[in-house]
Amino acid sequence: MRDLGAGFGYLISGQRWVGRHGRWFGFGLLPGLITLVLYVAALVGLGYGADDLVAWATPFADDWSSPWAGLLRTTLTVLVFALGLFLAVITFTAVTLLVGQPFYESLSEQVDRTEGGEVPESGLPLWRELWISARDSIRILVRVGLYSVLLFALGFIPVVGQTVVPVIGFCVTGYFLSEELTAVALQRRGMVLKDRLRLLRGRRLLTLGFGVPLGLAFLVPFVAVFLMPGAVAGATLLARDLVARDPVAPDEGAAPAPYTLDKG
């Protein structure tokens, strides 16, 4: 349980770091603002169209007596919007990190620099870094999509679907948020996706302690934008700890391993 508190501590430390470095806070806000505008427009569209989508998908309920047709469609509309919100929370970080790759790389390097020690650099051109980030984000989103479908189905189970399933959903959200954010620092250390996932699995409670509170905070409108710079800073601090404690991670003083088109 100590790891849960330690993970949350990294999140707070990251926010304090950008608070002490105001220029970097403003620098890190720009990608989030761009992405927020896109996501608000998408969620508003879903909010207006979810009931029509559910009605189109459930023609068999047209002849049901009242109130069963309305109850079914209302429930499904709420679930569709909840699923859209869940996916928005998960994908917001991935899309923001992709849009803000140069911004967050610089911010993460500055955190490493102020904390002392070597400052790893990938040595890759920007287009290659964007390609690797996009490729890994798609792989993560596929995993998230599979979890989302499963949790959506489990949501229909009485009692369990309204209690246990949401908790599991937030844990999934927090875990993959942590992966996306720590990837900024870990990619510079030459770690491919499968190695990053192994690293996070080795410290699950630490990972959840960082990611779950952040995922909950991201549900509040506009909060994600203002927390993103500090989240990247905190994830860099977390990554430093994970690498330092991992016996098979690349040495901080060594050159990053070359990226390969791994199939993991």
Side-chain angles (χ1 to χ4, degrees):
M1 296 300 291
R2 290 175 58 187
D3 270 0
L4 281 175
F8 183 67
Y10 282 115
L11 180 59
I12 298 300
S13 295
Q15 302 304 322
R16 288 175 177 169
W17 189 93
V18 294
R20 296 193 304 268
H21 301 80
R23 182 173 70 88
W24 287 99
F25 175 70
F27 186 71
L29 282 179
L30 296 177
L33 289 172
I34 295 171
T35 308
L36 177 66
V37 171
L38 299 176
Y39 271 70
V40 167
L43 287 173
V44 168
L46 179 63
Y48 278 106
D51 52 349
D52 292 333
L53 175 64
V54 168
W56 171 82
T58 56
F60 56 85
D62 288 343
D63 298 327
W64 288 12
S65 60
S66 179
W68 304 115
L71 183 62
L72 171 68
R73 286 173 171 165
T74 298
T75 301
L76 289 178
T77 298
V78 171
L79 288 174
V80 166
F81 189 79
L83 178 61
L85 189 60
F86 174 76
L87 291 176
V89 171
I90 289 293
T91 60
F92 181 88
T93 302
V95 173
T96 303
L97 289 172
L98 186 60
V99 170
Q101 178 76 19
F103 296 84
Y104 295 134
E105 283 282 349
S106 298
L107 193 157
S108 180
E109 288 179 8
Q110 184 63 24
V111 172
D112 272 330
R113 192 170 291 112
T114 59
E115 292 301 307
E118 296 290 330
V119 181
E121 296 181 4
S122 68
L124 298 175
L126 178 59
W127 71 266
R128 186 73 184 279
E129 290 182 349
L130 290 174
W131 160 250
I132 292 170
S133 295
R135 181 196 66 186
D136 289 349
S137 292
I138 290 172
R139 291 175 174 179
I140 289 296
L141 292 179
V142 169
R143 289 174 167 84
V144 171
L146 294 175
Y147 276 110
S148 299
V149 171
L150 176 61
L151 292 173
F152 182 76
L154 293 176
F156 290 97
I157 300 177
V159 182
V160 173
Q162 293 74 50
T163 54
V164 178
V165 171
V167 173
I168 296 175
F170 281 119
C171 288
V172 171
T173 300
Y175 181 82
F176 286 112
L177 275 177
S178 296
E179 195 290 322
E180 290 283 357
L181 288 163
T182 54
V184 177
L186 294 177
Q187 282 178 1
R188 289 191 290 107
R189 289 162 166 80
M191 299 191 71
V192 296
L193 177 60
K194 65 179 180 181
D195 292 331
R196 300 198 304 268
L197 291 174
R198 176 192 57 77
L199 198 63
L200 295 176
R201 283 196 299 269
R203 301 289 298 278
R204 281 189 178 90
L205 291 180
L206 185 70
T207 301
L208 293 176
F210 179 85
V212 171
L214 189 61
L216 291 170
F218 277 13
L219 292 176
V220 181
F222 308 111
V223 166
V225 175
F226 295 99
L227 290 184
M228 272 299 290
V232 173
T236 301
L237 298 173
L238 173 60
R240 289 169 61 92
D241 180 30
L242 290 172
V243 171
R245 294 170 181 267
D246 185 57
V248 299
D251 292 336
E252 286 288 341
Y259 285 101
T260 59
L261 295 178
D262 64 284
K263 301 183 186 301

